[in-house]
């Protein structure tokens, strides 16, 4: 019988009559239908800030104001000072949109966050259990009088977001009004400041052999010159684009080594928009910032990007190249008329960055060897302490993202991270899923292992083995260069589909070199670019049984050339995450001979690469644990002797 996790209790409390659980529920969520309303202590009182915001909407004549959850660079993870949605609503989930009118305030979020929203919002806010822009537009049409204007901060809208609202508002006689000054910032008096420092250039010792920023600038200029559309400038908006171009990193966003910036790169000038006071003399020298030639970086204030772009666009004969996926509407809307604009989904920086050069590949592989040691230490320690007593596990160290550490029913929420209210004790009776990542100067890592310290059920073993078959089937696939991940991802699901199981998330994403842990545009989804040699991607099938347990196995792979009997230019995956899978959960009778061979070869690689690092760090017990867990598998039903040679 699984213990009382919060998700569990919603569905089971009534059935089990577990009064402890039932009381917990009524105390943690707001109840706005009683008088006075019941508000748990996790709620923020938003009355005053809403009043202030509404006051600022009046002189602008906007009847509604849209508050998205992203930042001006359309980042996946945002800095605390960009958490405007959280400031206004109290809700801290990572996905949502809020809309405020003079009389109403509503938050839209998806099913992962409904419970959390009920715990964090006061009764000024209504919850709409949807995230689609069409649902928001429908609400706007019914709440805003005809002819009314709907305000939004264009820095927080992508081009696609804008078009989506525009289409959905359609012929309703409501207009979208771009308000390029953020109204939430005006009422957020204790908004966290810009960090004073934290910007660095990557040390030579780490990136020796990789292109310098000057070489990257020349490379981008060459791509501009080679384009038949003859762009005169490239505008970089996503934070990892500027960081990549200049081989620089920052610390503005938790777990993501980025700094606030934009770049306008023309054929003979380089404009870097940044909080210039944050740059040391050394960095200015590194950027050759004291001159105005084609290889001098001209520093411009971060906040002047709109004004400067407008000035550039006013010049005759110019054409600005943007990647539409990451350029905000505030910059896009300035590039008119349309013949001054050139678009691609992703900028040439993003498509170039997706393919790691030899140095990047080498150091990213190295980072994974050190990360394997850390994960092996964690798994060995847990294996030792959990059976003795129960461990209350919060979350550790320098991470690539918030560690997803979940056991039992919590792991059934694919992206659960522990909080004080929902954390559970680890026990030998259930599965444990740890999805962790590290940021190393040479690479970003991301790995998931699922383990069981007691006796797994038959169903758990079968599900785990079928998930593992998905990892192996993708990993051992040989495919022509240029194949899209979307055309291969069913290999990750096939063994699960055979018995009517599935999972509700993507099968993998790109990963950076000391960058974002989810690095677009690489991956297995339809809007990802085709695979070529040198790309890194995660491979991460899973299976989640509601209210019971969750399984995910995630490895990072580099795409490498594969000689074939007849064809040229074929590729395959080479796994660089180097941690063995829980043997107890593997049912070898389900595995094919090829799958067992693949697994044994992978385990040999772990021994070859991680063994010496464990020796170097003097980790004897961990070495033994690794060796024990990488024993070759013997195909069930066949003689052991074939494998002992
Ligand atoms: C709020 O409290 C009332 C009275 O106790 C109860 O009937 C109702 O179900 C509660 N609503 C929610 C959303 O908990
Ligand atoms: C929220 O703050 C307002 C303004 O200070 C106050 O009038 C109101 O009573 C507070 N609401 C709750 C539920 O505490
Ligand atoms: C708002 O509407 C009023 C009345 O129609 C008008 O006088 C004023 O100029 C408008 N303000 C803005 C910022 O559009
Ligand atoms: C839109 O609404 C305004 C204000 O009510 C009205 O003056 C105008 O005629 C409407 N336009 C259309 C196309 O319905
Ligand atoms: C710095 O800029 C000057 C002037 O354009 C140029 O001659 C020089 O090569 C640049 N130095 C570096 C290291 O890029
Ligand atoms: C969680 O609990 C710990 C220990 O009781 C406490 O120090 C911490 O502030 C709590 N965190 C939150 C977000 O409530």
């Amino acid at each position: 019988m699984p213990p009382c996790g919060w998700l569990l209790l919603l569905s089971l409390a009534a059935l089990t009559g577990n009064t402890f659980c039932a009381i917990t529920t009524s105390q943690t969520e707001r109840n706005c239908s009683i008088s006075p309303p019941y508000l748990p202590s996790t709620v923020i009182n938003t009355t005053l800030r809403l009043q202030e915001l509404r006051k600022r909407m009046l002189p602008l004549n906007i009847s509604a104001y849209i508050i998205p959850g992203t930042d001006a660079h359309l980042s996946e993870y945002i800095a605390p000072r960009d958490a405007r949605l959280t400031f206004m609503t109290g809700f801290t989930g990572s996905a949502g949109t809020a809309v405020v009118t003079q009389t109403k305030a509503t938050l839209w979020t998806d099913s992962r966050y409904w419970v959390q929203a009920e715990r964090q919002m006061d009764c000024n806010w209504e919850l709409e259990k949807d995230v689609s822009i069409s649902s928001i537009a429908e609400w706007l049409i019914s709440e805003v009088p005809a002819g009314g204007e709907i305000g939004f901060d264009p820095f927080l809208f992508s081009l696609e977001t804008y078009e989506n609202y525009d289409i959905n508002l359609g012929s309703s006689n409501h207009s979208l009004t771009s308000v390029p000054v953020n109204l939430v910032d005006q009422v957020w008096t204790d908004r966290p400041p810009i960090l004073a420092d934290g910007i660095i250039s990557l040390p030579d010792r780490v990136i020796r052999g990789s292109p310098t920023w000057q070489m990257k600038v020349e490379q981008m200029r060459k791509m501009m010159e080679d384009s038949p559309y003859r762009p005169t400038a490239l505008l970089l908006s996503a934070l990892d684009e500027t960081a990549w171009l200049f081989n620089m990193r920052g610390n503005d966003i938790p777990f993501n080594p980025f700094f606030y910036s934009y770049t306008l790169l023309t054929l003979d000038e380089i404009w870097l928009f940044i909080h210039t006071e944050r740059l040391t003399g050394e960095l200015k020298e590194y950027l050759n910032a004291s001159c105005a030639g084609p290889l001098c970086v001209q520093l411009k204030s971060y906040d002047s990007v709109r004004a400067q772009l407008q000035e550039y666009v006013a010049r005759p004969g110019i054409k600005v190249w943007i990647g539409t996926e990451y350029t905000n509407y505030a910059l896009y809307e300035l590039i008119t008329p349309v013949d001054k604009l050139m678009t691609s989904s992703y900028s040439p920086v993003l498509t170039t960055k997706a393919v790691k050069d030899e140095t990047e590949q080498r150091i990213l592989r190295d980072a994974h060897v050190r990360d394997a040691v850390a994960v092996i230490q964690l798994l060995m320690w847990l294996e030792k302490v959990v059976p003795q007593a129960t461990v209350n596990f919060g979350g550790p160290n320098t991470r690539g993202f918030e560690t997803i550490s979940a056991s039992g029913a919590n792991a059934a929420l694919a992206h659960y991270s522990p909080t004080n209210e929902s954390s559970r004790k680890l026990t030998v009776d259930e599965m444990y899923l740890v999805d962790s990542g590290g940021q190393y100067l040479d690479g970003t890592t991301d790995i998931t292992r699922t383990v069981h310290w007691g006796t797994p059920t038959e169903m758990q073993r079968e599900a785990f083995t079928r998930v593992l078959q998905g990892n192996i089937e993708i990993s051992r696939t040989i495919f022509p260069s240029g194949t899209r991940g979307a055309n291969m991802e069913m290999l990750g699901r096939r063994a699960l589909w055979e018995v009517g199981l599935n999972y509700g998330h993507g099968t993998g994403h790109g990963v950076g070199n000391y960058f974002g842990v989810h690095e677009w545009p690489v991956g297995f989804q339809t809007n990802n670019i085709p695979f070529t040699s040198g790309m890194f991607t995660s491979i991460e099938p899973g299976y989640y049984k509601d209210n019971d347990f969750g399984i995910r196995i995630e490895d990072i792979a580099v795409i490498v050339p594969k000689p074939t009997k007849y064809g040229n230019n074929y590729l395959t995956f080479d796994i660089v995450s180097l941690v063995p899978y829980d043997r107890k959960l593997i049912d070898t009778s389900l595995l094919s001979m090829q799958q067992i061979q693949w697994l044994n070869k992978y385990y040999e690689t772990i021994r070859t690469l991680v063994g010496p690092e464990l020796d170097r760090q003097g980790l004897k017990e961990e070495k033994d644990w690794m060796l024990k867990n990488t024993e070759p598998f013997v195909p069930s039903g066949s003689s052991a002797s074939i494998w002992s040679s």
Side-chain angles (χ1 to χ4, degrees), residues 290-420:
S290 57
C291 52
L295 281 180
C296 307
V297 178
Q298 299 176 46
L299 302 175
K300 311 261 180 195
S301 102
Y302 176 77
D303 296 317
S304 73
V305 63
R306 244 174 90 97
Q308 298 273 350
L309 179 63
Q310 210 153 15
E311 205 176 287
Y312 181 76
V313 170
R315 294 182 188 177
I318 64 97
K319 191 186 284 276
V320 183
W321 188 355
I322 62 164
T324 51
E325 291 281 330
Y326 286 100
T327 305
N328 64 48
Y329 193 75
L331 300 184
Y332 170 83
E333 71 178 348
L334 298 178
I335 309 174
T336 58
V338 72
D339 63 351
K340 296 199 167 189
L341 181 68
M342 168 184 166
T343 62
S344 52
S345 297
Y346 301 103
S347 76
V349 163
L350 285 185
T351 49
T352 304
K353 176 160 79 71
V355 178
K356 313 303 191 217
D357 66 37
E358 271 172 31
T359 302
E360 288 171 320
Q361 290 188 31
R362 176 175 50 75
I363 62 184
L364 200 41
R365 283 174 185 271
D366 287 352
H368 278 87
V369 173
R370 295 196 304 282
D371 194 61
V373 170
V375 176
I376 286 172
Q377 284 179 292
L378 171 68
L379 291 177
M380 191 189 87
W381 176 74
L382 286 169
E383 188 179 291
K384 242 195 299 185
V385 297
V386 173
Q388 289 164 10
T390 51
V391 179
N392 216 339
F393 190 63
N397 60 39
T398 295
R399 297 163 293 173
F401 51 93
E402 187 154 25
T403 300
I404 294 167
S405 167
S407 63
N410 280 343
L413 304 165
H415 292 98
Y416 166 86
S417 291
T419 62
N420 280 358

Side-chain angles (χ1 to χ4, degrees), residues 463-477 485-498 501-503 505-508 524 539-543 553 573 595:
F464 182 93
T465 305
R466 288 182 182 277
V467 170
L468 178 61
Q469 285 177 289
N471 288 71
I472 297 175
E473 283 311 294
I474 290 180
S475 303
R476 69 185 200 87
T477 297
N487 294 337
M488 274 187 261
E489 78 107 44
M490 70 78 65
L491 293 170
R493 301 180 188 265
R494 188 171 167 179
L496 289 162
W497 284 358
E498 273 169 7
L501 305 180
N502 202 357
Y503 54 93
H505 56 70
T507 297
F524 289 88
I539 298 173
E540 49 180 310
Y543 169 67
I553 301 173
F573 297 94
Q595 288 167 344

Side-chain angles (χ1 to χ4, degrees), residues 413-434:
L413 304 165
H415 292 98
Y416 166 86
S417 291
T419 62
N420 280 358
E421 293 80 39
S422 60
S423 64
R424 318 167 77 241
K425 291 228 188 282
L426 299 182
T427 77
V428 297
D429 300 325
E430 52 189 23
M431 305 257 254
Y432 171 71
L433 181 157
V434 61

Side-chain angles (χ1 to χ4, degrees), residues 39 45 47-48:
L39 296 174
N45 184 342
T47 302
L48 283 181

Side-chain angles (χ1 to χ4, degrees), residues 163-189:
E163 284 175 346
N164 219 329
Y165 275 102
D166 196 43
I167 288 167
N168 278 288
L169 290 169
S171 54
S172 70
N173 198 6
H174 290 90
S175 53
L176 282 165
T177 304
S178 166
V179 183
V181 174
N182 194 282
L183 301 187
V184 175
D185 294 355
Q186 292 183 353
V187 308
W188 192 356
T189 46

Side-chain angles (χ1 to χ4, degrees), residues 42-256:
T42 40
V43 153
I44 303 282
N45 184 342
T46 62
T47 302
L48 283 181
R49 46 192 81 169
L50 277 170
Q51 259 169 27
E52 289 296 314
L53 183 72
R54 286 173 172 143
K55 229 188 274 171
R56 282 166 174 79
M57 287 164 60
L58 289 174
L60 294 166
N61 291 348
I62 51 175
S63 309
Y65 187 61
I66 303 174
I67 306 166
T70 188
D71 68 10
H73 307 277
L74 310 173
S75 305
E76 181 182 4
Y77 301 95
I78 57 172
R81 63 182 271 105
D82 285 317
R84 300 177 178 93
L85 181 71
T86 297
F87 170 77
M88 281 313 298
T89 62
F91 168 68
T92 59
S94 69
T97 303
V99 177
V100 175
T101 65
Q102 287 301 330
T103 53
K104 287 198 173 171
T106 302
L107 171 81
W108 282 257
T109 191
D110 65 78
S111 59
R112 289 175 297 170
Y113 295 117
W114 294 341
V115 172
Q116 185 176 338
E118 295 289 353
R119 288 175 172 187
Q120 296 181 320
M121 295 199 303
D122 67 8
C123 294
N124 289 316
W125 288 91
E126 282 171 30
L127 175 63
E128 285 282 339
K129 300 184 169 181
D130 197 336
V131 272
S132 64
I133 287 178
S134 60
S135 143
I136 302 174
E138 225 169 81
W139 186 93
L140 285 165
I141 291 168
S142 72
E143 292 296 328
V144 175
E149 302 204 350
I150 296 159
F152 68 99
D153 176 351
F155 280 98
L156 305 183
F157 268 39
S158 68
L159 171 59
E160 191 190 358
T161 306
Y162 176 85
E163 284 175 346
N164 219 329
Y165 275 102
D166 196 43
I167 288 167
N168 278 288
L169 290 169
S171 54
S172 70
N173 198 6
H174 290 90
S175 53
L176 282 165
T177 304
S178 166
V179 183
V181 174
N182 194 282
L183 301 187
V184 175
D185 294 355
Q186 292 183 353
V187 308
W188 192 356
T189 46
D190 56 351
R191 185 177 175 215
I194 304 273
L195 300 178
D197 50 15
I199 301 181
I200 59 159
S201 61
L202 288 175
D204 272 346
R205 66 181 162 78
V206 173
I207 55 166
R208 185 168 301 129
S210 268
T212 61
W213 71 256
Q214 287 90 344
M215 290 156 83
K216 289 178 172 177
V217 162
E218 300 290 9
Q219 192 183 3
M220 290 305 115
R221 284 181 172 150
K222 172 114 191 1
M223 289 175 83
M224 288 156 65
E225 280 162 354
D226 287 350
S227 161
Y229 302 101
R230 316 297 310 188
T232 58
L234 175 63
L235 177 64
L236 303 177
S237 229
L239 295 181
D240 57 342
E241 293 176 316
T242 291
W244 176 86
L245 185 65
F246 295 109
N247 289 328
M248 283 162 61
R249 299 292 188 272
N251 60 351
D252 289 352
I253 300 184
F255 313 122
N256 289 262

